Amino acid sequence: MTTSTRTAKAVKATSPDLRRLVASECASLSGSAVSTVALPALAVLELHASTTQIAALAFLGQLPNAVVALPAGALSDRYAKRPQMIAADLTAAAGLATIPAADFAGVLGIGQMYAVAVVLGIIKIVHDAAAISYLPVLVEPHLLQHANSRLGAASSVADSAGSNAGAALVGAVGAARSVLADVLSYLVSALLVWRIRTPEPVAAPSEGRRSLARDIGEGLRYVVGQPTIRTVIAALSTLSFGLAVMNTYWAYYLLADLHVSPTAFGVIMGVGGAGSLAGALLAPRIASRIGIGPTIIIGFAVSPLAQIPLLLAGSGSQWQIALAGTLAVQLFWATVSGTSQRSLRQILCEPRFQGRMQAASATVTAGARPLATAAAGALVLFLGVRGTFAVGAVLQIVPVILLLVSPVRALRDMPVPPARTAVPPARKGAP
């Protein structure tokens, strides 16, 4: 299915609800980027947390990815998505607000930081499960690639701006007060989602009382039974594992072994972020030019190739320039491929399984990271950092093979989506 660029732009320009969703994601992501800087600074500089406590804080923040995603996806398919997004934003704002309040009262401790990390991790999963599966409600299937491109570009800008703002705020008003920016961002996000007025189809009532576990099992069986969706998710999880093996020691390798200064490290990351932004903006055009299947496969294939300069790198500015350029190319194609494969999965998936399909992807992808981190810790004892990187790079070849022998290889245009079951819209005045 193809649509002219002119038509796509015309429809997007007359979609205020899509603009509200993009603005909502921008607001919450920029605020979260502020907290990404402020919360560790608060734990280290003001609470004097130990390295073990910092590791526990990071672990608790990631734990909900592997535990909560499947139930959140089932709830997203069972109930209206917009109220879930609003409730998640408001709960996140309330949880974060306890930090500056406790700091002002002089009672803030690491235990509260742990609790807030868990709450935020759960809320993010619930919100994302609803938001990602809500996008196909707002736009027609042939516009999903353009909509995902807009979301990706907005996310890149918001994350970069939020990180810079977070660093400035921590220096100006302190880490605890900086968290108030994230509280405000969640309130703005909730308001924007509340203003969306596109009627949302609701799930048809099931016969009898269904357990959440049954809904989760039904969703997993559906995903396993879809060859293209199943293969793309398997490729994503394998790539995530290989990247996580390398990311465990990536910063350490650059800073300690290659003697990259903190400033140069920040520049390398910034150049990589620029590549990601460019990829989000150009993804629809590239997919239209070379085909959706090749776009996805190239994005996966670039990742292991981009690790070669890292394995050969030495000290010096020339290698730093090479690493920055390589990272920009890697993130460019990762974003192009990411928006394309996400759009493909959204189009192929039946509406009643959207939330559970996205949750299955999040579970296996995020679940691979802790295992990869443990594997990296074991490998480095025997192979060293470069040897561990080599293993991670080789593992990233596996998803390319999976995609090359799958139906994805033959895809040029986006497929025709499955027929949508007629379901009544949500009540007009419903939140």
Side-chain angles (χ1 to χ4, degrees), residues 98-138:
T98 66
I99 290 179
D103 183 71
F104 179 78
V107 295
L108 180 63
I110 193 65
Q112 182 175 346
M113 298 285 288
Y114 290 157
V116 171
V118 172
V119 169
L120 289 181
I122 294 173
I123 291 305
K124 176 175 169 49
I125 293 296
V126 172
H127 179 279
D128 288 353
I132 295 174
S133 56
Y134 189 44
L135 186 62
V137 175
L138 298 182

Side-chain angles (χ1 to χ4, degrees), residues 356-371:
R356 281 168 285 181
M357 182 271 292
Q358 300 292 351
S361 177
T363 298
V364 297
T365 302
R369 293 171 191 153
L371 297 176

Side-chain angles (χ1 to χ4, degrees), residues 344-427:
L344 176 64
R345 288 188 289 117
Q346 288 171 330
I347 286 176
L348 289 175
C349 184
E350 293 182 24
R352 65 193 182 98
F353 288 109
Q354 283 283 347
R356 281 168 285 181
M357 182 271 292
Q358 300 292 351
S361 177
T363 298
V364 297
T365 302
R369 293 171 191 153
L371 297 176
T373 300
L379 287 170
V380 78
L381 297 175
F382 300 97
L383 303 177
V385 175
R386 286 183 191 259
T388 301
F389 280 0
V391 173
V394 170
L395 287 173
Q396 293 173 50
I397 300 174
V398 176
V400 181
I401 298 173
L402 290 175
L403 292 171
L404 285 173
V405 298
S406 75
V408 175
R409 184 186 62 181
L411 286 176
R412 292 299 179 268
D413 297 328
M414 280 291 188
V416 177
R420 301 192 176 197
T421 306
V423 292
R427 294 191 304 276

Side-chain angles (χ1 to χ4, degrees), residues 8-23 25-26 29 135 139 143-158 277 279-284 335 339 342-343:
K9 288 183 177 178
V11 175
K12 286 195 292 179
T14 57
S15 178
D17 281 348
L18 176 58
R19 291 197 296 271
R20 291 183 183 112
L21 180 64
V22 171
E25 293 297 295
C26 252
L29 284 171
L135 186 62
V139 298
L143 293 177
L144 278 171
Q145 176 80 344
H146 291 273
N148 277 311
S149 175
R150 289 183 64 181
L151 281 169
S155 298
S156 297
V157 173
L277 174 60
L281 293 173
L282 295 176
T335 306
T339 59
R342 187 180 303 113
S343 302

Side-chain angles (χ1 to χ4, degrees), residues 84-97:
Q84 294 183 59
M85 295 163 64
I86 295 172
D89 284 339
L90 294 178
T91 304
L96 280 166

